[in-house]
């Protein structure tokens, strides 16, 4: 097993071998999760606190389930109701929680870099559940696992990431991961929704969906992140759907066996046609959710092993 990190803050610091380690362990947890009795004890005796400063359905629920299935004591902090509202800073809140001796802290925050900062202030392992536009490592890992299981490999694939790339931490983490695993990544969308340093990302850029999707193995759609937009990035949702919404005609330009992905939450009729999203022959959106629980179990298991190793008195062998 190769995984030498104290925290999981992003895909950037991970070696390809470490990515494979997480995915291989997650495959085992997929099997466990399909059984009637889903308990293992990798996190028994450990305390996991989930701190979500931004709304979340899938990510928070799957981190909670992942911790519970592995035997951790899991607490969800209701950040809307917490002292943050009374003016306490992120760091003060983190130090307060730190004093309760958690072992794993799962954090989502609207500001890029906030989770890294927090990780420097606490003694436990920190998992980034999405920070601003920066990274969302467990999403990229669950996407990678979904692709690897559907395509039988995670290298030399043509993958199109489409839509609102500029505001998307999911896109950023995926670009880094898929690049590390030697895939060809294309970004497809209007120039207003492309990140400013797109030239440095090692990707091909397309403005036209039909050209961008031509012969790809994977089509990854993204939500229009209106909460991160402060002006007119798109003319109208109708116009956007017409040019960039994934429908059967646009999808027909991809390979016949291309899979369709979306991290959720989806806006049907904005970035994706509902019938494509529900087409079990093309869409792996539900598999992504399933893989999300397994990947989070694997990530927390590996971090916990490193925690336990560090806890061992010097000179004592396992
Ligand atoms: C994404 C997120 O929060 O970054 N959702 C998720 O975690 N599944 C994408 C989004 O909000 O559009």
């Amino acid at each position: 097993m190769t995984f030498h990190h104290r925290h999981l803050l992003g895909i950037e610091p991970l070696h390809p071998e470490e990515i494979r380690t997480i995915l291989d362990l997650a495959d085992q947890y997929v099997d466990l999760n399909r059984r009637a009795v889903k308990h293992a004890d990798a996190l028994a005796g450990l305390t996991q606190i989930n701190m979500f400063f931004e709304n979340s359905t899938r990510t928070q629920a799957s981190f909670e389930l992942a911790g519970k299935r592995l035997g951790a004591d899991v607490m969800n902090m209701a950040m809307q109701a917490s002292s943050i509202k009374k003016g306490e800073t992120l760091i003060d809140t983190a130090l307060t929680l730190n004093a309760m001796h958690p072992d794993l802290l799962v954090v989502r925050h609207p500001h890029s870099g906030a989770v890294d900062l927090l990780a420097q202030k606490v003694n436990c392992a920190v998992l980034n559940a999405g920070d601003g536009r920066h990274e969302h490592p467990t999403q990229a890992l669950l996407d990678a696992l979904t692709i690897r299981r559907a395509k039988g490999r995670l290298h030399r694939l043509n993958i199109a990431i489409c839509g609102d790339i500029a505001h998307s931490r999911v896109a950023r983490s995926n670009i880094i991961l898929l690049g590390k695993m030697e895939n060809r990544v294309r970004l497809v969308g209007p120039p207003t929704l492309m990140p400013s340093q797109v030239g440095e990302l090692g990707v091909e850029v397309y403005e036209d969906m039909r050209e961008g999707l031509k012969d790809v193995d994977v089509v990854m759609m993204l939500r229009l992140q209106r909460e991160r937009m402060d002006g007119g990035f798109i003319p109208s949702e109708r116009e956007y759907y017409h040019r960039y919404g994934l429908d059967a005609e646009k999808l027909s330009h991809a390979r016949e066996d291309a899979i369709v992905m979306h991290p959720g939450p989806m806006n049907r009729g904005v970035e994706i046609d509902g019938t494509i999203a529900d087409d079990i022959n093309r869409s792996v959106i539900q598999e992504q959710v399933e893989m999300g629980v397994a990947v989070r179990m694997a990530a927390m298991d590996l971090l916990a092993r490193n925690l336990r190793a560090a806890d061992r008195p010097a000179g004592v062998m396992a």
Side-chain angles (χ1 to χ4, degrees):
M1 286 265 177
T2 328
F3 188 81
H4 299 295
H5 297 271
R6 183 157 165 223
H7 307 293
L8 180 60
L9 299 174
I11 298 297
E12 191 91 67
L14 300 185
H15 188 273
E17 203 46 53
E18 294 177 312
I19 294 171
R20 273 190 283 273
T21 296
I22 300 174
L23 301 186
D24 291 348
L25 184 58
D27 267 328
Q28 296 178 28
Y29 282 128
V30 174
D31 294 340
L32 177 71
N33 288 337
R34 289 180 180 176
R35 291 198 210 132
V37 177
K38 303 168 178 61
H39 278 163
D41 59 3
L43 304 182
L46 302 184
T47 300
Q48 173 191 338
I49 300 182
N50 298 333
M51 287 168 82
F52 280 66
F53 295 90
E54 245 185 28
N55 293 340
S56 170
T57 313
R58 273 152 287 267
T59 307
Q60 180 162 358
S62 61
F63 265 114
E64 184 177 352
L65 262 187
K68 287 183 170 162
R69 287 185 181 166
L70 293 181
D73 295 316
V74 185
M75 182 176 81
N76 288 310
M77 286 288 293
M79 298 319 298
Q80 313 293 342
S82 77
S83 293
I84 291 278
K85 285 272 175 292
K86 299 179 190 164
E88 189 173 74
T89 66
L90 167 69
I91 300 302
D92 281 333
T93 306
L95 291 177
T96 303
L97 290 176
N98 194 45
M100 299 179 194
H101 298 293
D103 302 287
L104 298 153
L105 204 52
V106 180
V107 188
R108 168 170 285 193
H109 199 279
H111 295 144
S112 306
V115 184
D116 289 47
L117 182 70
L118 194 141
Q120 294 165 24
K121 308 280 178 191
V122 296
N123 303 318
C124 57
V126 176
L127 292 102
N128 182 1
D131 64 322
R133 311 174 183 192
H134 178 227
E135 281 237 36
H136 192 349
T138 55
Q139 179 70 43
L141 289 162
L142 77 87
D143 289 339
L145 185 62
T146 308
I147 295 170
R148 195 173 80 166
R149 291 172 68 103
K151 293 282 149 205
R153 66 181 201 274
L154 187 60
H155 59 273
R156 271 188 266 129
L157 292 166
N158 286 307
I159 298 167
I161 305 180
C162 310
D164 185 359
I165 319 278
H167 301 100
S168 176
R169 54 197 175 208
V170 175
R172 205 166 166 280
S173 289
N174 264 304
I175 291 165
I176 301 170
L177 189 153
L178 295 168
K180 279 183 197 265
M181 306 314 274
E182 296 177 15
N183 297 283
R184 288 180 67 173
V185 178
R186 304 176 181 182
L187 303 184
V188 190
T192 47
L193 295 178
M194 284 295 156
S196 48
Q197 3 68 301
V198 72
E200 299 157 27
L201 297 174
V203 295
E204 296 164 35
V205 179
Y206 293 84
E207 206 177 320
D208 182 83
M209 275 290 266
R210 290 167 187 85
E211 283 171 29
L213 295 193
K214 188 154 173 31
D215 297 331
V216 298
D217 302 287
V218 177
V219 182
M220 192 181 286
M221 301 306 299
L222 297 170
R223 182 175 67 89
L224 273 183
Q225 309 222 346
R226 292 210 169 270
E227 73 278 19
R228 302 194 204 286
M229 296 182 192
D230 49 15
F233 284 85
I234 56 159
S236 72
E237 283 188 356
R238 219 171 131 230
E239 168 80 7
Y240 183 81
Y241 180 71
H242 177 66
R243 295 196 58 190
Y244 295 102
L246 186 67
D247 57 15
E249 192 281 314
K250 293 191 193 87
L251 183 58
S252 71
H253 295 263
R255 280 180 57 115
E256 218 176 310
D257 60 355
I259 54 169
V260 174
M261 307 178 74
H262 194 304
M266 259 187 299
N267 293 308
R268 291 168 185 261
V270 181
E271 70 266 359
I272 190 164
D273 173 36
T275 48
I276 298 280
D278 298 333
D279 180 353
I280 53 165
N281 296 314
R282 305 309 293 270
S283 162
V284 293
I285 295 171
Q286 297 309 322
E287 278 88 336
Q288 288 176 271
V289 179
E290 182 185 9
M291 296 309 122
V293 180
V295 151
R296 286 163 183 133
M297 290 165 87
M300 290 197 289
D301 178 348
L302 290 166
L303 289 173
R305 292 180 202 201
N306 292 347
L307 276 179
R308 288 203 171 99
D311 209 20
R312 220 173 278 142
V316 178
M317 301 298 284

